Amino acid sequence: MHIRFTRAAVPSACAGLLLALSACGGGGGGGGGGGFPPFGPPGGGNPPSSPSPVTVSGKVMVLGPVSGALVCVDRNRSGACDEGEPAAANKTGEDGAYSFAYTPADAAAAAELAAAPLLAQVDGGNPSLPSFSQPFTMSAPAGHRGQVNPLTTLLQAGVAAGLAPERAEALVLLQLGLPELAQLYDYQAVAVTDPGRFEDNAFTAALVTADALHSGVALRLVDPATVTPVASDQLARLDFTRADDYRARTYPTDGVPDPATGKLKLTDRREGLTNGAPTAHDTLYGVVQLGANGWVRCDENAGFTSTLGTPSRSDYCGGTTRSLGHAAVTDISGRKMAEVVAEVQAADGNSIFGVVPATAFANPDATFPAGSQLRYRRGVDLVQPYSINLANPSETTSFTTLEALIAAFPASGATLPAGTGTISLGVLNEQQTRLLRAAFTGAGTVQYYACNFDSATNAYDTCAATETGTVEIRTEGGARLLAFNSGHPPTDVGSLRTFGEYSGKVYVVRTTKSDARYNLNSARRLNGVAWEAMKPQLGIGSGA
């Protein structure tokens, strides 16, 4: 099987999503599905007493046409194309198209087949997507057989779970944050602004949903109106030195969806000790992020929500951070804490830092109690907010305005090769052996310098002038930022460093590059039951 992408405007960001996809693009037309007939048998009435032949045609799509997929009518709802079920004689070709016909044996069979979902069994071992190694199955609900894609698969998961079809449609839009119903059935015409990043659109939602399917994660469409609230918690991050010097971050929720939005409200709760004394609130919550209406402190009062189901979307720190991902939960009841922590630390998405599994636990053989779980979530970040770490003194300058900072670093005052008289714009390479610095040559222009850098001592030397570029003071979300617009030497790291004004001072401001490879995320988190059991084993809360 391979997926052929022909439409240049489709995001190249999908290449490498979670190492599950390595090439992508867009497809042609949707191959049907343009209209939205009611669910169930066409026409809404009883099938004729002498059934006529039925033709099924359309396309299998992910980000573009999927070839090598077997399409069938899942008459027995088994989730597989079984012998005797109506199916295409051949797998889809490069255009992803399928077309086959069947004649029901009688009226009862006609009704049963018309109400059955459509399946597309996608082969593994895709030569054009080498990391997409496992086979997976997509589906589409009855009455919508013009396209089989990841979004129709989520929709069918809800219908199969007993949701009314129209309610299931509305819930997919809510759960994934999509704007209109038409996109569930054919999103190939959705406009793409930047093909190099994960945009907040149906393509990215389909990509994340496909990755869940490929990973064996069950899709879930959840109706907030009928959910039974269950309070829960998860350990988002632990930085541990010893029992009297640690910081812990948890995400509790009461499990009650907001009646207006259907979203869960979570709280970013932090605690810690610094040499035995409670860590100050502003140290625990030291980061502010730039939103549409200014800087937002990412603390326990900032808006933090998540939709229900799988995949789901999360909005953090007043909506300044948005992500879309899927999660799988593993029962770790009865397993040794030291073994589980060692596994978490060795894998992607580690959330437990500083704990040495072999020596940290009071009882080396301590096990997690019943109800303990490990949650693994992976997905993509949809926005890249500017942020300031107010708790880091080295991120604060002595200036009160950006104009004052610019005036303090004229290129005429730079000394080479020492690099004095320049400001730092961060490291140039992943090895952290080269540093980018700058000085200002005039109104709106800047000179860049590349220097040798020792990350262990934070010292730099042997600076040499490189390119020149332009710079401006820009207002975004009501905040003033220094924007380096052009001539910037390329960097191999995922973050960008600049400067901005906040509360009467100039601070170092950072943001993540918008490139897709820098906006993949994963997290492995203990649930509240496991975390509460582990705390006394680490001496936390015991008065040690």
Side-chain angles (χ1 to χ4, degrees):
M1 180 278 283
H2 72 280
I3 299 178
R4 182 188 181 198
F5 304 101
T6 59
R7 182 169 171 267
V10 174
S12 59
C14 60
L17 167 68
L18 315 174
L19 299 181
L21 300 179
S22 63
C24 62
F36 303 99
F39 283 83
N46 295 323
S49 56
S50 298
S52 301
V54 176
T55 299
V56 178
S57 62
K59 288 188 176 183
V60 181
M61 310 289 285
V62 175
L63 293 174
V66 178
S67 65
L70 176 63
V71 179
C72 71
V73 178
D74 189 18
R75 181 176 183 176
N76 62 6
R77 313 303 207 277
S78 69
C81 293
D82 298 316
E83 185 176 353
E85 291 182 324
N90 300 303
K91 294 182 179 180
T92 54
E94 290 189 349
D95 60 358
Y98 53 86
S99 182
F100 60 96
Y102 64 88
T103 301
D106 51 35
E112 183 180 22
L113 287 163
L118 205 61
L119 295 186
Q121 293 184 170
V122 182
D123 291 342
N126 183 349
S128 65
L129 297 173
S131 296
F132 219 67
S133 57
Q134 300 301 314
F136 65 97
T137 300
M138 296 189 292
S139 57
H144 293 276
R145 293 177 171 179
Q147 187 173 123
V148 184
N149 65 53
L151 303 185
T152 63
T153 308
L154 177 59
L155 175 61
Q156 173 56 27
V159 172
L163 289 169
E166 291 75 15
R167 179 60 175 164
E169 289 177 328
L171 291 175
V172 173
L173 299 183
L174 171 65
Q175 189 164 309
L176 301 180
L178 299 178
E180 59 186 42
L181 180 60
Q183 294 182 9
L184 303 188
Y185 300 104
D186 187 351
Y187 46 83
Q188 303 306 304
V190 170
V192 174
T193 304
D194 183 354
R197 61 180 289 262
F198 295 118
E199 295 191 337
D200 192 355
N201 61 22
F203 280 110
T204 301
L207 188 63
V208 171
T209 306
D211 184 70
L213 291 167
H214 175 257
S215 303
V217 176
L219 304 186
R220 295 189 309 122
L221 193 58
V222 179
D223 191 341
T226 60
V227 70
T228 300
V230 177
S232 64
D233 201 353
Q234 54 185 301
L235 176 64
R237 184 180 175 105
L238 173 64
D239 292 280
F240 182 84
T241 303
R242 54 185 185 273
D244 67 347
D245 201 326
Y246 74 94
R247 294 182 190 180
R249 179 178 182 179
T250 60
Y251 291 160
T253 176
D254 61 9
V256 179
D258 181 276
T261 65
K263 298 178 181 179
L264 291 181
K265 179 182 178 182
L266 296 90
T267 301
D268 184 349
R269 183 171 294 163
R270 307 185 192 188
E271 63 178 74
L273 296 175
T274 304
N275 294 321
T279 305
H281 179 275
D282 285 356
T283 300
L284 291 171
Y285 298 100
V287 173
V288 295
Q289 294 185 171
L290 185 58
N293 299 309
W295 294 103
V296 178
R297 184 179 283 270
C298 303
D299 60 13
E300 69 275 37
N301 298 313
F304 184 7
T305 62
S306 177
T307 59
L308 298 166
T310 306
S312 63
R313 62 181 294 137
S314 297
D315 288 12
Y316 173 74
C317 192
T320 59
T321 295
R322 299 195 303 273
S323 66
L324 186 64
H326 56 81
V329 175
T330 303
D331 184 2
I332 55 172
S333 304
R335 293 198 59 196
K336 289 186 178 181
M337 294 181 183
E339 292 179 355
V340 173
V341 170
E343 291 172 4
V344 170
Q345 292 176 336
D348 65 298
N350 175 37
S351 60
I352 302 175
F353 300 88
V355 174
V356 180
T359 60
F361 298 99
N363 175 6
D365 295 321
T367 60
F368 285 109
S372 297
Q373 296 177 333
L374 179 64
R375 182 175 185 265
Y376 175 51
R377 176 182 170 89
R378 63 182 187 178
V380 300
D381 293 324
L382 301 172
V383 292
Q384 300 77 39
Y386 289 103
S387 66
I388 299 173
N389 187 353
L390 301 174
N392 186 348
S394 67
E395 304 282 80
T396 306
T397 75
S398 60
F399 305 102
T400 58
T401 66
L402 292 172
E403 287 85 355
L405 180 142
I406 292 171
F409 292 96
S412 59
T415 302
L416 302 178
T420 55
T422 63
I423 57 172
S424 175
L425 295 181
V427 294
L428 277 166
N429 57 357
E430 292 182 352
Q431 295 77 22
Q432 298 189 13
T433 59
R434 299 284 286 166
L435 187 67
L436 179 65
R437 300 186 69 85
F440 302 92
T441 54
T445 56
V446 61
Q447 173 69 59
Y448 296 107
Y449 307 87
C451 312
N452 290 338
F453 181 62
D454 185 342
S455 59
T457 62
N458 208 35
Y460 63 93
D461 57 27
T462 320
C463 298
T466 58
E467 294 94 336
T468 59
T470 60
V471 63
E472 65 175 315
I473 297 174
R474 181 182 300 166
T475 299
E476 293 189 21
R480 303 178 81 225
L481 304 167
L482 201 57
F484 295 89
N485 294 323
S486 64
H488 199 299
T491 63
D492 296 330
V493 294
S495 63
L496 296 172
R497 171 181 166 126
T498 185
F499 298 87
E501 296 177 2
Y502 174 78
S503 192
K505 292 184 179 180
V506 173
Y507 290 86
V508 172
V509 174
R510 301 180 187 274
T511 186
T512 301
K513 290 180 179 178
S514 62
D515 308 49
R517 60 178 171 150
Y518 301 122
N519 287 279
L520 307 175
N521 63 65
S522 62
R524 297 177 191 268
R525 297 170 180 165
L526 299 176
N527 72 345
V529 173
W531 168 229
E532 290 301 321
M534 194 170 78
K535 286 166 68 174
Q537 287 294 324
L538 296 174
I540 294 175
S542 65

